[in-house]
Amino acid sequence: MQNEPFNLAHILEHAATFHGDVEIVTRQVDDGSIRRSTYGEAADRTRQLARALQKLGISRGDRVGTMGWNTQRHLEAWYAVSGQGAICHTINPRLFEDQIEYIINHAQDRVILLDAPFVPMMERLQARLPSVEQWIVLTDADHLPDADLPGVVDSESLIADERPEFDWPRLDHETPAGLCYTSGTTGNPKGVLYTHRSNMIHAWAVCSRDVTGIGMSDTVLMVVPMFHANSWGLAYACPMTGSKLVLPGARLDGASIYELLDGQQVTFSAAVPTVWNMLLTHLKQNDLGLPHLREVLIGGSAVPRHLIETFDRDYDVTIVQGWGMTELSPLGTTCRLKACMKDWPWEKQVDVRMKQGIPIYGCDLKIVDDDNRELPHDGETAGRLLVRGPWVIKRYYRDDTDATDADGWFDTGDIATIDSFGYMQITDRAKDLIKSGGEWISSVDLENAAMGHEQIEIAAVIGVHHPRWEERPLLLVKPVSGAALTRDEVLDYLRDKVAKWWLPDDVLFVDEIPLTATGKISKLQLRKQYGDYVLPQQETAVADAPDAKMK
Ligand code: ADP
């Protein structure tokens, strides 16, 4: 057979040739207006940008940074950079400034393309970023801010005089294409270097029926950011399938997302739970419906049960849970029902859909104990979750040692069970588990249970020191506005939902729960703030735990 090499730029060329008139609709970062374009036009502009970057001296293997919202210009930058054999380093603007400085210096970016709102941050940092020779603002001359950055230019002027022609090189499959740093919840962020091969295979998998199942009759609203974890592969999967692509720019509030869902007749979307919660509030407050939307893939953190139930019941929209991580390109599992579950009662089906799901073929997965012995698929026994496959990391960028064991298994840092049907369920991040009386308590399960309360907007659980039981759970609650909840009401609510000895020793009401750069509850921050919290003296029920051992 032919050994035709993969170049990600071919995806956009395919879309231009066979779906050239299919639209790309962007909410512009500059002024919030809607811009309509097509795959045909985007491919022309991508070739123009590739030429312009080459003239700036970018060559194979060079790192080109992008810090941008989901827009057509950002999409073109992705394809122009990696298509010519350079590496597109997507920078997450939500990281702390010292982390951004660290990752740009670690990646040694030569050029950075950025949205105008990020210019002030880069002005502050640029003196400490010696590798960056050129700054390109993703805008036109009229919207270019007065920026104190070396060689700054707007992207429209940069490409204006370039011909829309570029011979995409034949690249070896293993050529690096993209670079993304994990948010570094502990220590410095670590770089994950994707190749043309890994991204291409992952994108094919993303298109498949049980992952997104998107096709050319779909309109996809890509809410998951291009600056983190490859926008879940959708920036490749959409042009691959010829689905219409809608890009929300910088506005992710409920009203703006609704306007795009409705105005563009979106059929499929992907987002983190927080964005979809904001949408739900907007829908309820304004009594709106979603007649076009078929499905939403939600992941990044556990999907609250009420979200699945409300969208099913009130909007006829199916929420599909996905699990993954930066190191997995990022998708590893999705959760849909098997044929044998079709006639199960709805509640029981939702129980299944709360799980993280079945591995996507290509991403092999197992759970093991501390001695690396594989654990049974009984839905009860929890262990370290290991993964292996062609879109799973082998070694972090510029690291000396592999991130996998000798057999190629990567430890995700997640703790999970797998049930007899093959569904994986995350019970916690290994470092967030609460060790109490020699037994483990899952902070995620407690949070999910608490978030089922209609007056709780967000709940977080951390383990704090206990003189007798080592650690006990402390529940932090941000109530919905106007709620008048008490500690005892929350504990009463939880009483029949979790094991007795899991019941938090205290409940604190807070105005904000700190989130990480990727929108997850920042346990690190919470532990810093509340790690020394002294629990009230009381008789906890740890003695009820199956193997409780007194310290
Ligand atoms: P970081 O936030 O560290 O950059 P990622 O965005 O790659 O990392 O996050 C990966 C982690 O997010 C996973 O290891 C897992 O703990 C968590 N996660 C992702 N999807 C889900 C999900 N559906 N349910 C629960 N946890 C999830």
Side-chain angles (χ1 to χ4, degrees):
M1 303 307 282
Q2 298 181 12
N3 187 14
E4 201 44 43
F6 298 141
N7 180 331
L8 292 166
H10 294 158
I11 297 177
L12 193 55
E13 293 297 349
H14 168 84
T17 309
F18 298 104
H19 309 285
D21 293 334
V22 172
E23 279 186 314
I24 302 179
V25 178
T26 301
R27 187 188 294 281
Q28 306 254 78
V29 172
D30 301 325
D31 54 11
S33 64
I34 300 291
R35 181 174 188 278
R36 292 175 174 281
S37 179
T38 60
Y39 281 125
E41 194 195 347
D44 282 347
R45 291 166 47 86
T46 299
R47 287 182 234 108
Q48 288 176 288
L49 180 58
R51 290 179 88 88
L53 289 172
Q54 224 170 35
K55 281 191 187 155
L56 292 176
I58 290 301
S59 56
R60 299 256 179 116
D62 281 345
R63 271 78 66 209
V64 175
T66 66
M67 188 188 268
W69 295 104
N70 289 7
T71 64
Q72 184 182 336
R73 289 184 182 124
H74 194 180
L75 187 82
E76 291 160 0
W78 269 38
Y79 281 95
V81 172
S82 49
Q84 64 183 278
I87 300 171
C88 182
H89 168 206
T90 52
I91 306 166
N92 184 345
R94 296 191 182 124
L95 294 174
F96 298 118
E97 285 191 17
D98 54 356
Q99 290 180 323
I100 292 175
E101 177 188 331
Y102 172 85
I103 67 174
I104 293 174
N105 284 327
H106 190 265
Q108 292 281 289
D109 295 329
R110 291 188 58 198
V111 170
I112 291 186
L113 299 104
L114 73 165
D115 278 332
F118 305 128
V119 164
M121 185 203 306
M122 288 310 185
E123 285 177 326
R124 286 193 293 278
L125 291 180
Q126 59 99 359
R128 300 197 295 277
L129 304 173
S131 66
V132 186
E133 300 154 35
Q134 173 90 43
W135 299 86
I136 302 169
V137 182
L138 293 163
T139 188
D140 53 26
D142 291 343
H143 294 93
L144 181 66
D146 193 12
D148 181 18
L149 294 170
V152 67
V153 63
D154 68 272
S155 58
E156 292 300 321
S157 305
L158 184 78
I159 65 170
D161 297 329
E162 299 296 344
R163 277 183 290 126
E165 290 159 22
F166 195 88
D167 279 334
W168 300 113
R170 282 178 75 84
L171 299 171
D172 182 85
H173 289 183
E174 303 294 343
T175 307
L179 178 61
C180 179
Y181 284 74
T182 62
S183 29
T185 29
T186 50
N188 279 325
K190 289 184 277 199
V192 181
L193 189 65
Y194 307 111
T195 63
H196 285 261
R197 176 177 182 269
S198 67
N199 273 350
M200 188 72 86
I201 300 175
H202 177 260
W204 269 314
V206 167
C207 299
S208 59
R209 172 67 187 88
D210 283 333
V211 181
T212 64
I214 56 167
M216 59 184 108
S217 56
D218 276 305
T219 296
V220 176
L221 174 64
M222 192 169 88
V223 183
V224 281
M226 296 173 71
F227 57 67
H228 183 64
N230 259 331
S231 63
W232 299 1
L234 284 171
Y236 301 121
C238 292
M240 207 176 229
T241 54
S243 45
K244 174 175 158 181
L245 182 56
V246 184
L247 300 166
R251 297 198 188 164
L252 304 183
D253 59 282
S256 304
I257 291 293
Y258 173 76
E259 192 186 308
L260 292 177
L261 288 171
D262 188 57
Q264 302 304 319
Q265 308 201 343
V266 169
T267 57
F268 181 91
S269 189
V272 290
T274 10
V275 173
W276 229 248
N277 257 324
M278 289 193 292
L279 172 71
L280 184 60
T281 308
H282 179 76
L283 295 173
K284 291 279 173 210
Q285 278 168 355
N286 297 282
D287 201 14
L288 301 167
L290 294 169
H292 311 290
L293 192 62
R294 162 173 74 78
E295 246 177 45
V296 192
L297 179 64
I298 299 197
S301 46
V303 181
R305 188 177 187 106
H306 82 93
L307 215 55
I308 297 181
E309 289 180 344
T310 313
F311 274 93
D312 257 17
R313 212 178 33 221
D314 301 351
Y315 301 96
D316 197 19
V317 171
T318 306
I319 286 184
V320 177
Q321 171 143 218
W323 165 87
M325 58 198 309
T326 309
E327 287 88 338
L328 265 75
S329 303
L331 288 180
T333 65
T334 53
C335 192
R336 292 174 186 275
L337 298 176
K338 295 193 172 192
C340 61
M341 300 167 175
K342 223 172 50 212
D343 298 324
W344 285 12
W346 180 64
E347 289 284 335
K348 197 171 161 192
Q349 290 181 338
V350 177
D351 290 345
V352 176
R353 291 166 60 201
M354 288 287 292
K355 302 191 174 193
Q356 279 63 32
I358 303 275
I360 303 167
Y361 178 73
C363 179
D364 203 3
L365 178 152
K366 67 176 178 181
I367 44 172
V368 297
D369 66 13
D370 287 341
D371 298 321
N372 272 334
R373 276 186 307 247
E374 195 162 348
L375 294 168
H377 291 190
D378 59 10
E380 297 282 333
T381 317
R384 282 157 47 225
L385 179 64
L386 309 188
V387 290
R388 183 172 69 176
W391 62 81
V392 175
I393 191 164
K394 181 168 173 12
R395 182 180 288 201
Y396 288 102
Y397 184 53
R398 294 181 54 198
D399 220 351
D400 301 331
T401 48
D402 284 352
T404 63
D405 66 17
D407 298 322
W409 290 98
F410 171 72
D411 189 333
T412 62
D414 285 331
I415 304 295
T417 58
I418 300 177
D419 67 20
S420 56
F421 292 99
Y423 289 78
M424 181 275 282
Q425 182 162 32
I426 303 278
T427 55
D428 222 328
R429 283 267 223 198
K431 55 185 184 302
D432 296 338
L433 276 173
I434 298 162
K435 191 161 200 195
S436 186
E439 285 287 300
W440 295 105
I441 296 177
S442 157
S443 65
V444 171
D445 281 357
L446 273 177
E447 286 158 7
N448 283 344
M451 280 196 276
H453 193 293
E454 55 184 16
Q455 294 202 58
I456 294 183
E457 185 178 317
I458 173 161
V461 174
I462 55 166
V464 293
H465 173 72
H466 188 281
R468 184 167 175 205
W469 301 115
E470 199 168 343
E471 274 187 336
R472 289 294 303 157
L474 170 67
L475 172 63
L476 297 128
V477 166
K478 179 186 175 193
V480 296
S481 72
L485 264 183
T486 64
R487 171 185 185 276
D488 289 344
E489 276 165 6
V490 174
L491 292 176
D492 279 346
Y493 173 78
L494 289 175
R495 228 171 279 281
D496 61 350
K497 295 179 180 60
V498 298
K500 201 168 158 200
W501 61 281
W502 280 32
L503 218 54
D505 278 31
D506 208 358
V507 181
L508 292 184
F509 294 94
V510 294
D511 294 335
E512 276 312 324
I513 300 275
L515 299 180
T516 68
T518 46
K520 301 179 217 300
I521 295 170
S522 176
K523 296 284 172 83
L524 190 73
Q525 193 61 32
L526 285 175
R527 276 194 283 266
K528 265 192 202 153
Q529 267 174 278
Y530 299 99
D532 296 333
Y533 183 75
V534 180
L535 293 165
Q537 293 287 323
Q538 63 184 6
E539 203 36 58
T540 54
V542 182
D544 291 355
D547 290 318
K549 301 178 203 62
M550 251 200 294
K551 253 181 77 177

